[in-house]
Every structure is written in C-alpha cells, then in structure tokens.
Amino acid sequence: MTRIVDCYLPLMSPWAYLGHDRFVAIADRGRAVIRWHPVDFPKIFAASGGVPLKQRPVQRQTYRMYELKRWRDRLGVPLELEPRFFPVDDTRAAHLVLQAMAEGVDPAGLIGGVLGAVWAEGRDITDAETLADLLRREGLDAELLDRADAATADLAAKRAAMTDNAIAAGVFGAPTYIFDGEPFWGQDRLDFLAERLGVTLD
C-alpha cells in the first residue's frame, strides 16, 4: 500500500523553505509519496481566521523575526530575514508547479528552487526570467512556463479546487503536512511526522 503525505504550502513561505529539504528527505526515508498542493493561503486565512503578516500585531511580527533567525542558524541554511521581493504574489509560480505536475514532473526540486529564490537569492518569483531560470536549473524545458501561462484559467480553477480541499481538510497554516489523516502544522513539527513514518532522524 502506497504511503502518501500531502503537503499544503504557499510558494513564498519562509517556513516551507526552511523545512523543504528535511521534509523531502523524511518522506523518502519513510518510503512515502508526496502530494504537493501549492494552495492559495490568503483564501485559507480568510476561512480560518488567519491574518496576513503585515496585518498582525507588531509583537507577533517581532517574534517572527526571532524565530526566523533561530531556525536559520539551527539549520545552517541561507535566509534573508527581509528579502527584497516579499510579500510576493505566488500565483504564477503555483501555476507553473501545477503545470509541471500535469506533465508528470516531480515538482520537489522546482518548489525548493522557488522558495530559495525568495528567501536565499532575493529574486522575484513573478518574473518570467526568474522562473525560466529555475526550470533550467532543474533540467526542465523553460517553455513549460509558456504552457503554464497559456493554461492560466484551467490552472487557476485547479488551484481553487485544491484550496477548497485544503480548507475542508482543516488546513489553516503553512506549511501543513497530512499523513493518514493526521495534520502536522509547521516545519518545526517535522520530527513528529518522521516518527509517524517510522523514520529515525540523525
């Protein structure tokens, strides 16, 4: 029986970025297939009582910066605390990922590239050349972006349905991993997901 972990994320989340490589490794070691869901988190926030970053109280925004520093240092990953292009609309990048999936591409590398472009490289993920470059890095055809742009209406509908499914599944924060009906919210809960998958972390 195939083991499946569903991952719901926005493609500009620092927490999804910080957890991405560890999550992929845990799923691999746990012999689980990842189903990626690059959903519309503003819609999820509206349905679940969440508040966009800039609308949160200053105390919460300040504490978030402490946490980003702590996790950056703990994991030893490059991360710009105030990237040049953030917040950013991740719609085009999400459509690109959905198009890649529709063409049978495992999108893990592309997703990691998009997240890293925002948080480690200070790049604009709404920009066509940025996205084309990320495709080329993964050995993918840069024209995949043209195909995604041409299918915007269909991909938007697919993403909307995916987002509705996320809300129905109880998703409210990013990233959320769901295995066997059990949700794990945040990259700081990956240890618990590993335990459920029977993976021993080094």
Side-chain angles (χ1 to χ4, degrees):
M1 182 176 179
T2 302
R3 310 174 88 193
I4 297 172
V5 181
D6 290 285
C7 178
Y8 298 88
L9 77 165
L11 295 178
M12 43 63 177
S13 162
W15 313 111
Y17 166 66
L18 287 166
H20 182 75
D21 289 345
R22 286 181 297 136
F23 169 55
V24 171
I26 287 168
D28 182 63
R29 291 172 63 181
R31 298 181 180 179
V33 173
I34 300 172
R35 283 195 303 215
W36 298 98
H37 305 271
V39 289
D40 181 353
F41 260 86
K43 185 175 180 180
I44 289 174
F45 285 161
S48 62
V51 179
L53 176 62
K54 296 300 183 183
Q55 297 176 29
R56 294 173 194 168
V58 65
Q59 298 93 332
R60 289 180 177 270
Q61 294 190 46
T62 299
Y63 186 75
R64 171 181 172 276
M65 296 298 284
Y66 282 112
E67 284 286 88
L68 287 175
K69 291 176 186 176
R70 289 169 182 154
W71 280 104
R72 176 190 64 185
D73 296 343
R74 169 68 60 85
L75 298 173
V77 298
L79 182 142
E80 298 179 7
L81 294 173
E82 298 185 73
R84 181 180 176 192
F85 296 100
F86 181 84
V88 62
D89 184 352
D90 67 345
T91 300
R92 194 178 192 187
H95 289 176
L96 178 60
V97 168
L98 291 174
Q99 182 65 30
M101 291 165 59
E103 296 186 17
V105 173
D106 178 350
L110 178 59
I111 289 171
V114 171
L115 292 167
V118 176
W119 290 99
E121 300 174 19
R123 302 182 72 181
D124 180 4
I125 61 169
T126 68
D127 177 68
E129 183 50 42
T130 295
L131 294 175
D133 183 50
L134 295 175
L135 287 169
R136 288 189 289 265
R137 286 189 192 178
E138 294 300 313
L140 299 172
D141 179 3
E143 291 183 0
L144 198 155
L145 178 60
D146 295 330
R147 297 193 290 276
D149 287 344
T152 292
D154 289 342
L155 295 172
K158 183 179 291 186
R159 189 180 188 219
M162 191 175 277
T163 301
D164 288 342
N165 290 339
I167 293 169
V171 172
F172 62 89
T176 293
Y177 317 100
I178 297 181
F179 174 64
D180 198 21
E182 182 177 354
F184 302 83
W185 169 40
Q187 60 87 30
D188 52 344
R189 297 297 182 266
L190 281 170
D191 287 3
F192 290 111
L193 174 60
E195 185 177 282
R196 283 285 281 113
L197 289 169
V199 173
T200 300
L201 298 177
D202 298 329

